[in-house]
Amino acid sequence: MADPATVRTDARRHHDPQVRGFASDNYAGAHPEILAAIALAHGGHQVAYGEDDYTGHLQRVMHSHFGPTAEAFPVFNGTGANLVARQALTDGWGAVICAESAHINVDEGGAPERMGGLKLLTVPTPDGKLTPELIDRQAYGWDDEHRAMPQVVSITQNTELGTVYTPDEIRAIC
C-alpha cells in the first residue's frame, strides 16, 4: 500500500499530453491563459456567490459585447451550461424537443430532467438531425394543461452521430 504522504505529494503526469480525445468538453485540460488567470485570482480572499470582483468584471465584459441586459452565469462544465441555458428558456412546465440520440438525452446523466426539471421530448432520427417535420411529432399539446409544453428545440452542431446541419436546415428549424 502506498504511503499517504507520498500519494499526496506525487505531482507526476499520469497521462500522455499528446493524446487527444474529443468526446467531451471535460477531456482536455484548461488553456494556459485560464490557468494563469486562476493562479492570479488564487491569492487572497473575495466575497462569494457572485459578489466578487471577478464576477463583476465578467458581467462588464458581457455587457460590452452583448448589451446592458446580458448576464453571465459561470458554471463548471458543458452539462451545467446546457442546463442553465435551457432553464432560462423554459417555464416550469416547459419541455425541450431533441433528437433521441441528442447529447442532452444520452450523455448528460439525466441532468436536464433530474436537475433542471425539464421534460425532454425525443424524436427518433435517421441521422441525428431534426427537421421541421420531425419536430412536429412532438410540437403539439399547448392546450393540454396535463402535458409538458414544448418550448425549446435543441440541436447540436455536430450531432452525436457526426452529421452537421447546413445553414438552410437551421433556418428551416427556426
Side-chain angles (χ1 to χ4, degrees):
M1 182 169 208
D3 174 24
T6 304
V7 172
R8 276 194 305 275
T9 60
D10 184 1
R12 291 179 295 154
R13 188 182 306 269
H14 295 278
H15 70 283
D16 181 351
Q18 299 305 311
V19 173
R20 301 288 185 253
F22 299 102
S24 172
D25 58 339
N26 299 318
Y27 279 26
H31 189 279
E33 290 180 22
I34 292 172
L35 290 176
I38 291 170
L40 184 65
H42 183 64
H45 294 262
Q46 282 283 311
V47 177
Y49 307 110
E51 299 300 320
D52 58 284
D53 292 335
Y54 296 96
T55 302
H57 176 72
L58 171 63
Q59 300 301 348
R60 289 188 298 279
V61 169
M62 296 304 289
H63 294 165
S64 73
H65 288 293
F66 302 108
T69 60
E71 269 189 273
F73 298 93
V75 294
F76 173 71
N77 62 8
T79 298
N82 288 340
L83 193 59
V84 169
R86 287 184 184 90
Q87 284 179 311
L89 293 170
T90 56
D91 295 313
W93 55 87
V96 178
I97 298 173
C98 64
E100 199 171 64
S101 59
H103 182 87
I104 63 170
N105 188 47
V106 298
D107 292 313
E108 293 192 341
E113 292 183 339
R114 171 123 173 116
M115 304 306 293
L118 297 169
K119 176 68 177 162
L120 298 180
L121 302 173
T122 63
V123 179
T125 65
D127 58 1
K129 292 169 38 174
L130 291 175
T131 64
E133 295 76 25
L134 291 172
I135 292 166
D136 281 347
R137 293 182 184 177
Q138 289 287 5
Y140 66 89
W142 290 281
D143 57 346
D144 181 357
E145 67 274 4
H146 301 289
R147 183 172 195 268
M149 302 296 166
Q151 295 179 319
V152 172
V153 172
S154 179
I155 62 173
T156 305
Q157 185 77 309
N158 301 353
T159 71
E160 294 301 297
L161 302 181
T163 52
V164 178
Y165 286 94
T166 67
D168 285 339
E169 288 172 321
I170 294 172
R171 272 191 282 281
I173 289 170
C174 291

PDB file of all heavy atoms in Angstrom, residues 46-52 55:
ATOM      1  N   GLN A  46     -12.013  36.761  -1.592  1.00  0.00           N
ATOM      2  CA  GLN A  46     -13.048  37.525  -2.271  1.00  0.00           C
ATOM      3  C   GLN A  46     -14.400  37.091  -1.713  1.00  0.00           C
ATOM      4  O   GLN A  46     -14.565  35.954  -1.272  1.00  0.00           O
ATOM      5  CB  GLN A  46     -13.037  37.239  -3.779  1.00  0.00           C
ATOM      6  CG  GLN A  46     -11.941  37.941  -4.547  1.00  0.00           C
ATOM      7  CD  GLN A  46     -12.292  39.401  -4.763  1.00  0.00           C
ATOM      8  OE1 GLN A  46     -13.377  39.734  -5.185  1.00  0.00           O
ATOM      9  NE2 GLN A  46     -11.339  40.270  -4.472  1.00  0.00           N
ATOM     10  N   VAL A  47     -15.359  37.996  -1.765  1.00  0.00           N
ATOM     11  CA  VAL A  47     -16.727  37.677  -1.368  1.00  0.00           C
ATOM     12  C   VAL A  47     -17.250  36.603  -2.320  1.00  0.00           C
ATOM     13  O   VAL A  47     -16.908  36.597  -3.504  1.00  0.00           O
ATOM     14  CB  VAL A  47     -17.604  38.950  -1.450  1.00  0.00           C
ATOM     15  CG1 VAL A  47     -19.050  38.638  -1.121  1.00  0.00           C
ATOM     16  CG2 VAL A  47     -17.053  40.023  -0.530  1.00  0.00           C
ATOM     17  N   ALA A  48     -18.091  35.724  -1.834  1.00  0.00           N
ATOM     18  CA  ALA A  48     -18.600  34.610  -2.640  1.00  0.00           C
ATOM     19  C   ALA A  48     -19.944  34.922  -3.286  1.00  0.00           C
ATOM     20  O   ALA A  48     -20.501  35.996  -3.112  1.00  0.00           O
ATOM     21  CB  ALA A  48     -18.730  33.375  -1.748  1.00  0.00           C
ATOM     22  N   TYR A  49     -20.457  33.955  -4.021  1.00  0.00           N
ATOM     23  CA  TYR A  49     -21.802  33.950  -4.588  1.00  0.00           C
ATOM     24  C   TYR A  49     -22.059  35.096  -5.563  1.00  0.00           C
ATOM     25  O   TYR A  49     -23.113  35.727  -5.543  1.00  0.00           O
ATOM     26  CB  TYR A  49     -22.859  33.916  -3.476  1.00  0.00           C
ATOM     27  CG  TYR A  49     -22.624  32.773  -2.517  1.00  0.00           C
ATOM     28  CD1 TYR A  49     -22.189  33.014  -1.221  1.00  0.00           C
ATOM     29  CD2 TYR A  49     -22.801  31.461  -2.937  1.00  0.00           C
ATOM     30  CE1 TYR A  49     -21.945  31.963  -0.348  1.00  0.00           C
ATOM     31  CE2 TYR A  49     -22.554  30.413  -2.076  1.00  0.00           C
ATOM     32  CZ  TYR A  49     -22.130  30.660  -0.785  1.00  0.00           C
ATOM     33  OH  TYR A  49     -21.879  29.622   0.062  1.00  0.00           O
ATOM     34  N   GLY A  50     -21.071  35.381  -6.411  1.00  0.00           N
ATOM     35  CA  GLY A  50     -21.266  36.355  -7.472  1.00  0.00           C
ATOM     36  C   GLY A  50     -21.009  37.794  -7.089  1.00  0.00           C
ATOM     37  O   GLY A  50     -21.130  38.684  -7.918  1.00  0.00           O
ATOM     38  N   GLU A  51     -20.643  38.055  -5.861  1.00  0.00           N
ATOM     39  CA  GLU A  51     -20.384  39.421  -5.414  1.00  0.00           C
ATOM     40  C   GLU A  51     -18.899  39.773  -5.473  1.00  0.00           C
ATOM     41  O   GLU A  51     -18.492  40.830  -5.029  1.00  0.00           O
ATOM     42  CB  GLU A  51     -20.909  39.612  -3.984  1.00  0.00           C
ATOM     43  CG  GLU A  51     -22.404  39.397  -3.853  1.00  0.00           C
ATOM     44  CD  GLU A  51     -23.220  40.346  -4.713  1.00  0.00           C
ATOM     45  OE1 GLU A  51     -22.872  41.541  -4.810  1.00  0.00           O
ATOM     46  OE2 GLU A  51     -24.211  39.891  -5.307  1.00  0.00           O
ATOM     47  N   ASP A  52     -18.078  38.886  -6.021  1.00  0.00           N
ATOM     48  CA  ASP A  52     -16.636  39.094  -6.090  1.00  0.00           C
ATOM     49  C   ASP A  52     -16.262  39.992  -7.269  1.00  0.00           C
ATOM     50  O   ASP A  52     -17.054  40.202  -8.193  1.00  0.00           O
ATOM     51  CB  ASP A  52     -15.926  37.739  -6.220  1.00  0.00           C
ATOM     52  CG  ASP A  52     -16.398  36.991  -7.447  1.00  0.00           C
ATOM     53  OD1 ASP A  52     -17.517  36.442  -7.411  1.00  0.00           O
ATOM     54  OD2 ASP A  52     -15.672  36.979  -8.458  1.00  0.00           O
ATOM     55  N   THR A  55     -16.393  38.174 -10.873  1.00  0.00           N
ATOM     56  CA  THR A  55     -17.720  38.049 -11.481  1.00  0.00           C
ATOM     57  C   THR A  55     -18.203  39.404 -11.973  1.00  0.00           C
ATOM     58  O   THR A  55     -18.801  39.505 -13.049  1.00  0.00           O
ATOM     59  CB  THR A  55     -18.723  37.428 -10.482  1.00  0.00           C
ATOM     60  OG1 THR A  55     -18.221  36.156 -10.073  1.00  0.00           O
ATOM     61  CG2 THR A  55     -20.089  37.253 -11.117  1.00  0.00           C
TER      62      THR A  55
END
